[in-house]
């Protein structure tokens, strides 16, 4: 083993894992009622927390990784405590309320003992755990502190066990969901609230979380196909399980899908497990309406589409598959028409597009057609060149159909926060693209560097133009929709006027001169304002196109100078980022810009062609102008 | 022996028990299993450093517990002596 060695010994790391778990359990067992022991117990808790968040978490990741083929050793011994807890749980299930305090005491004392609690959950299984939580939620007084404490402690222990030692039994998630469904149908217990309670946990392992959500969606699809209600009747306002839920969110408790989406939003790996399964995404999108303005669905979808830093290639591909499912199914569905969109849904959609901007570029530049239903059911990723990694480097990307991408982009642009997120994502992408292009020109130039640069800038312009059209004009569209509201009001006013006059004629008794004198001039003013607004929209679009192409052209100059492909302007060693350039005094900006734009390229040198960018940008905007005509 | 001194002695025993339990907890020997021959990386270095700090803190906590136990024991002794003296004074007075 040399000095530079980084890694671990496969056998010893397993021993270390087992000893670290023992140490964690050992620290959890230390307690005292002596007041003088308070400081010492604080030190014990701190050490336990450091162990849990540090060494144990790191070693667990190594042990769970695919690199280690040796299975993790089973629990060293069966805990007597586990038997006691499981027995008491069965007593409580039998309706013996007196056992509650005793169970509370045992669970609160040993709830942190992951090995013991694993035995408890293995003994109860998913069905027994559902029974116990449903009983605590429905049979005890809503203010019963012991029932609440046991429920919370069990939920936390389930999270600890599943995270540290794995899901207690292979069918735990399926069994828990199946039992909740049975109890709902047969005993009229509101197990939708029970499931929401479990899914609200912040501690569940990825496997358990994905297992629960997957089984839940499978049940809901089966119910829909039978034309049954998945969670019929019953409200759970008075349950101890709902005490942690703010009043404004109580309506979501009786439909566990909302908690399921929040749960996935907190765990990208679990979200990817669901969003890469075409039938489950279809169930999420087609199966129902969402009363939260799609906030939960899009937050979960955004988590699934995220690519974590240093992600393995298979995780990157899963994120691309998840984005393919989400964008094509949501953007192409009637879902967007039937929902009042929540601003957070717009922000999540913008995050998805920002992360997968290369796939957006591919659709815009390569003119991808539509993605068929069959293609979505067995999605395949596309591969495209990615110059940031070298000229011949290709990466797998999501595949977005033209129409759903447009729908999804409009969703992203439907709120200010979404627009801001998109702008930031697009700027980052464009800077990366310019940098990659400049790097290729510097390190590995193609035979015709001028054409290569023109093509890259043209594609950047196309992408910018696509967003100017869909985002800039989405705002305009909203403006126009305000105007069309005004137009409708004018028409309605005119109509009312006509009817009122008709009515007067019918009655033949009352004169209403104020109608023509007051309403008609108002209508004319409103119509003029509307017409002005359309002209304003066209002016704004022109302005946007020029501003965007200037910015993009500058980004290419900046990258080419940074990589030594172009000489910097006189008096500076490098170009600042665009924001810094904009902050310079006007005279200095003109000086730099003139130096860059009016320079004749030396032999073998390339020069950005701002006209290419503006042309491609405007080409992308043509549909909008045609729409205005 | 007064009730107060009995309580103090109970706590003395409890604190010494806890001190011993802390020093016998598996964490205090975990450093043997986490050496560079098992795991070597920047994260491993951080974990070893943290473990070392925690072990030191726990040793100190155990020492503090023993010191507290010693003080409680002295206090209990004093209470017992006082009790004896008061009993003697009551006898002389009677």
């Amino acid at each position: 083993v040399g000095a530079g060695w980084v890694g671990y010994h496969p056998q010893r790391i397993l021993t270390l894992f087992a000893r670290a778990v023992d140490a964690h359990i050992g620290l959890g067992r230390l307690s005292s009622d002596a007041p003088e022991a308070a400081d010492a117990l604080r030190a014990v808790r701190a050490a336990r927390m450091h162990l849990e968040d540090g060494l144990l978490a790191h070693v667990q990741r190594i042990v769970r990784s695919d690199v280690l083929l040796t299975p993790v050793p089973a629990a060293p011994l069966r805990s007597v405590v586990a038997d006691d807890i499981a027995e008491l749980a069965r007593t409580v299930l039998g309706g013996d309320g007196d056992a509650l305090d005793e169970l509370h005491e045992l669970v609160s004392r040993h709830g942190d003992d992951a090995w013991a609690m694993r035995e408890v959950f293995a003994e109860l299984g998913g069905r027994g755990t559902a029974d116990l939580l449903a009983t605590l939620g429905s049979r005890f007084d809503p203010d019963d502190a012991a029932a609440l404490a046991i429920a919370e402690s069990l939920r936390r222990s389930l999270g600890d066990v599943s995270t540290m030692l794995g899901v207690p039994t292979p069918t735990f998630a399926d069994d828990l969901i199946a039992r909740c469904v049975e109890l709902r149908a047969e005993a009229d217990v509101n197990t939708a609230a029970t499931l929401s309670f479990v899914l609200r946990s912040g501690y569940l392992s990825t496997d358990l979380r994905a297992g629960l959500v997957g089984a839940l969606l499978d049940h809901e699809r089966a119910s829909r196909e039978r034309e049954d209600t998945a969670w019929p009747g019953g409200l759970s306002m008075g349950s101890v399980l709902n005490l942690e839920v703010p009043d404004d969110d109580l309506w979501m408790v009786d439909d566990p899908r909302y908690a399921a989406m929040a749960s996935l939003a907190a765990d990208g790996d679990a979200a990817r497990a669901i969003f890469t399964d075409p039938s489950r995404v279809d169930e999420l999108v087609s199966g129902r309406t969402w009363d939260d303005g799609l906030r939960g669905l899009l937050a979960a979808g955004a988590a699934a589409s995220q690519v974590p830093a240093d992600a393995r290639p298979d995780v990157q591909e899963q994120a691309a598959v998840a984005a393919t499912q989400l964008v094509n199914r949501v953007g192409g569905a009637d879902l967007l028409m039937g929902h009042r969109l929540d601003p957070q849904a717009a922000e999540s959609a913008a995050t998805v597009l920002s992360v997968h901007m290369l796939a957006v570029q591919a659709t815009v530049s390569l003119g991808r057609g539509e993605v068929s239903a069959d293609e979505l059911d067995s999605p395949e990723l596309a591969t495209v060149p990615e110059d940031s990694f070298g000229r011949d480097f290709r990466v797998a990307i999501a595949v977005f159909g033209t129409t759903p991408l447009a729908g999804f982009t409009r969703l992203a642009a439907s709120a200010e926060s979404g627009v801001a997120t998109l702008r930031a994502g697009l700027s980052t992408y464009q800077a990366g693209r310019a940098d990659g292009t400049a790097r290729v020109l510097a390190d590995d130039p193609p035979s015709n560097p001028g054409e290569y640069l023109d093509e890259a800038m043209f594609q950047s312009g196309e992408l910018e133009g696509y967003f100017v059209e869909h985002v800039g004009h989405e705002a305009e569209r909203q403006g126009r929709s305000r105007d069309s509201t005004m137009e409708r009001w004018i028409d309605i006013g005119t109509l009312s006027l006509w009817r009122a006059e008709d009515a007067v004629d019918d009655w033949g008794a009352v004169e209403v001169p104020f109608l023509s004198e007051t309403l008609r001039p108002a209508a004319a003013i409103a119509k003029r304002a509307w017409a002005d607004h359309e002209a304003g929209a066209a002016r704004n679009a022109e302005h946007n196109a020029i501003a965007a192409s200037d910015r993009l052209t500058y980004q290419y100059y900046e990258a080419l100078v940074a990589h030594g492909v172009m000489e910097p302007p006189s008096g500076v060693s490098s170009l600042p980022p665009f924001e810094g350039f904009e902050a310079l005094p006007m005279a200095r900006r003109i000086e730099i810009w003139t130096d860059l734009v009016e320079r004749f390229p030396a032999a073998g040198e390339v020069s950005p062609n701002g006209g290419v960018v503006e042309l491609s940008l405007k080409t992308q905007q043509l549909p909008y102008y045609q729409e205005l005509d | 022996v007064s009730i107060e001194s009995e309580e103090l002695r109970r706590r003395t025993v409890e604190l010494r028990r806890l001190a011993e339990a802390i020093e016998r907890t598996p964490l205090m020997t975990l450093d043997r299993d986490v050496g560079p021959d098992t795991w070597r990386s920047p994260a491993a270095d951080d974990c070893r450093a943290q473990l070392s700090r925690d072990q030191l803190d726990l040793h100190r906590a155990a020492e503090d517990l023993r010191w507290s136990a010693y003080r409680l024991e002295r206090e209990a002794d004093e209470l017992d002596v006082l009790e004896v003296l008061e009993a003697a004074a009551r006898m002389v007075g009677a």
Side-chain angles (χ1 to χ4, degrees):
Chain A
V1 173
W5 177 70
V6 172
Y8 49 84
H9 187 288
Q11 281 304 322
R12 288 182 198 142
I13 201 87
L14 288 174
T15 307
L16 171 61
F17 180 59
R19 300 258 160 84
V21 171
D22 282 346
H24 188 262
I25 293 171
L27 290 172
R29 284 184 174 147
L30 293 174
S31 65
S32 173
D33 61 354
E36 295 80 4
D39 286 344
L41 291 175
R42 257 194 293 279
V44 167
R45 277 196 296 276
R48 190 163 188 253
M49 198 182 73
H50 296 151
L51 184 63
E52 191 173 311
D53 294 344
L55 193 148
L56 203 46
H58 282 293
V59 174
Q60 182 182 291
R61 269 199 291 277
I62 296 170
V63 170
R64 290 276 156 75
S65 71
D66 299 336
V67 185
L68 266 189
L69 299 176
T70 316
V72 178
L77 48 95
R78 184 182 172 79
S79 167
V80 178
V81 174
D83 287 342
D84 291 349
I85 293 177
E87 183 58 37
L88 271 170
R90 278 191 288 270
T91 311
V92 169
L93 281 174
D96 183 354
D98 294 341
L100 206 60
D101 285 338
E102 206 176 335
L103 180 62
H104 179 200
E105 208 253 323
L106 264 185
V107 167
S108 56
R109 191 188 302 166
H110 298 286
D112 288 345
D113 182 341
W115 288 112
M117 292 308 292
R118 181 188 185 217
E119 293 296 327
V120 173
F121 287 115
E123 180 80 24
L124 291 172
R127 295 178 67 83
T129 304
D131 275 329
L132 185 56
L133 288 170
T135 301
L136 292 167
S138 62
R139 211 180 289 173
F140 293 93
D141 189 89
D143 299 325
D144 193 316
L148 176 62
I150 293 171
E152 284 179 340
S153 197
L154 282 173
R155 182 174 64 173
R156 192 189 160 92
S157 297
L158 181 59
D160 286 347
V161 168
S162 65
T163 307
M164 291 172 62
L165 306 173
V167 181
T169 64
T171 58
F172 191 89
D174 289 342
D175 293 346
L176 192 142
I177 298 288
R179 184 59 182 153
C180 283
V181 171
E182 279 174 23
L183 284 170
R184 187 75 199 98
E186 294 164 12
D188 200 29
V189 178
N190 189 347
T191 44
T194 311
L195 269 180
S196 294
F197 176 77
V198 174
L199 287 166
R200 281 197 301 272
S201 168
Y203 298 99
L204 301 179
S205 72
T206 292
D207 286 348
L208 182 56
R209 202 184 292 270
L212 287 169
V213 177
L216 170 69
L217 292 175
D218 293 346
H219 159 64
E220 297 200 354
R221 185 176 55 238
S223 302
R224 187 165 55 85
E225 285 167 359
R226 289 194 310 269
E227 298 187 355
D228 284 348
T229 307
W231 303 102
L235 289 173
S236 56
M237 309 297 249
S239 167
V240 290
L241 302 183
N242 299 341
L243 286 179
E244 65 190 1
V245 181
D247 287 350
D248 288 349
D249 293 339
L250 268 178
W251 63 271
M252 286 194 262
V253 163
D254 298 315
D255 187 343
R257 272 206 191 183
Y258 292 105
M261 291 303 101
S263 188
L264 294 184
D267 182 344
D269 288 333
R272 274 182 285 282
I274 298 298
F275 277 82
T276 49
D277 182 334
S279 67
R280 285 170 173 161
V281 188
D282 179 55
E283 174 59 23
L284 284 168
V285 174
S286 315
R288 55 165 295 158
T289 55
W290 294 84
D291 294 331
D292 62 348
L294 300 180
R295 186 177 66 212
L297 174 65
L298 267 297
S305 307
Q306 280 288 350
V307 181
D310 304 327
R312 297 192 311 264
D314 61 319
V315 175
Q316 293 178 16
E317 291 191 4
Q318 285 166 14
V321 171
T324 300
Q325 291 292 326
L326 186 74
V327 171
N328 289 299
R329 290 188 190 275
V330 171
D334 294 336
L335 198 67
L336 298 179
M337 304 292 285
H339 282 85
R340 175 195 55 78
L341 298 174
D342 185 274
Q344 283 183 28
E347 205 173 324
S348 298
T351 303
V352 174
L353 294 181
S354 298
V355 171
H356 296 275
M357 200 58 86
L358 194 56
V360 178
Q361 169 92 75
T363 300
V364 171
S365 293
L366 304 179
R368 179 74 170 87
E370 301 310 325
V371 178
S372 70
D374 286 346
E375 285 178 286
L376 269 184
D377 285 341
S378 50
E380 285 184 13
L381 301 174
T383 59
V384 292
E386 168 52 294
D387 291 343
S388 306
F389 300 104
R391 190 146 57 88
D392 295 323
F393 195 91
R394 297 180 74 82
V395 292
I397 56 162
V399 178
F400 301 148
T402 304
T403 307
L405 177 61
F408 203 81
T409 307
R410 282 197 296 276
L411 162 62
S414 65
E416 285 299 319
S417 55
V419 172
T421 304
L422 264 187
R423 181 65 258 174
L426 182 60
S427 296
T428 304
Y429 173 82
Q430 297 285 34
R433 183 81 205 272
D435 187 69
T437 304
R439 193 182 307 164
V440 167
L441 287 169
D443 302 342
D444 180 23
S447 56
N448 191 338
E451 268 181 30
Y452 177 77
L453 178 61
D454 272 2
E455 187 186 332
M457 290 184 71
F458 188 84
Q459 289 186 356
S460 288
E462 281 181 317
L463 186 64
E464 197 75 32
Y466 170 82
F467 280 105
V468 169
E469 184 203 345
H470 285 85
V471 177
H473 299 163
E474 171 66 13
E476 295 295 344
R477 190 192 65 75
Q478 288 183 359
R480 288 212 301 283
S481 100
R482 278 199 298 277
D483 289 333
S484 60
T485 308
M486 193 185 290
E487 183 190 16
R488 277 200 299 278
W489 174 81
I490 295 164
D491 286 345
I492 290 164
T494 312
L495 196 67
S496 308
L497 194 68
W498 176 78
R499 281 185 181 159
E501 286 170 343
D502 259 11
V504 170
D505 286 344
D506 285 349
W507 284 90
V510 185
E511 283 189 17
V512 278
F514 70 91
L515 283 173
S516 55
E517 288 166 18
T518 312
L519 277 183
R520 281 180 177 152
I525 291 167
K527 270 189 169 161
R528 267 206 306 280
W530 177 62
D532 283 351
H533 188 83
E534 276 208 342
R539 276 198 306 276
N540 285 345
E542 181 74 17
H543 173 77
N544 284 342
I546 293 167
S549 65
D550 281 354
R551 182 191 182 96
L552 254 182
T553 309
Y554 182 87
Q555 279 183 314
Y556 273 86
Y557 277 124
E558 186 199 340
L560 291 167
V561 168
H563 284 277
V565 180
M566 281 181 75
E567 288 293 320
S570 55
V572 293
S573 58
S574 65
L575 288 174
F578 189 68
E579 291 71 20
F581 173 72
E582 280 193 314
L584 293 173
M586 175 66 88
R588 183 66 183 133
R589 267 188 286 162
I590 292 172
E591 199 180 2
I592 290 177
W593 191 250
T594 308
D595 185 326
L596 290 168
V597 174
E598 295 189 350
R599 183 190 306 176
F600 288 101
E605 203 180 52
V606 293
S607 177
N609 181 354
V612 167
V613 174
E614 200 172 327
L615 174 69
S616 60
L617 237 153
K618 283 188 169 167
T619 308
Q620 279 295 321
Q621 294 189 96
L622 273 179
Y624 172 70
Y625 289 112
Q626 285 160 354
E627 195 186 323
L628 278 185
D629 291 341
Chain B
V1 178
S2 69
I3 296 171
E4 289 85 349
S5 74
E6 250 182 37
E7 167 62 13
L8 291 180
R9 287 189 200 286
R10 186 191 71 76
R11 276 154 53 189
T12 301
V13 171
E14 169 65 10
L15 295 180
R16 287 189 175 130
R17 179 201 65 75
L18 182 61
E20 196 179 333
I22 286 176
E23 287 182 336
R24 278 196 293 109
T25 193
L27 184 93
M28 303 307 268
T29 53
L30 194 60
D31 52 312
R32 292 176 201 162
D33 300 302
V34 72
D37 54 342
T38 297
W39 181 27
R40 192 182 287 191
S41 73
D45 292 341
D46 289 347
C47 289
R48 275 190 285 274
Q50 184 62 56
L51 177 64
S52 181
R53 283 194 294 274
D54 287 333
Q55 286 175 330
L56 188 63
D57 286 348
L58 291 179
H59 276 304
R60 280 189 189 134
E63 281 310 302
D64 288 347
L65 286 170
R66 291 199 177 92
W67 174 243
S68 297
Y70 170 75
R71 282 192 294 114
L72 288 184
E73 196 169 42
R74 290 277 305 269
E75 217 176 305
D77 287 346
E78 283 167 13
L79 281 176
D80 286 346
V81 169
L82 206 61
E83 181 90 355
V84 170
L85 288 176
E86 281 174 359
R90 279 197 298 274
M91 284 175 68
V92 171

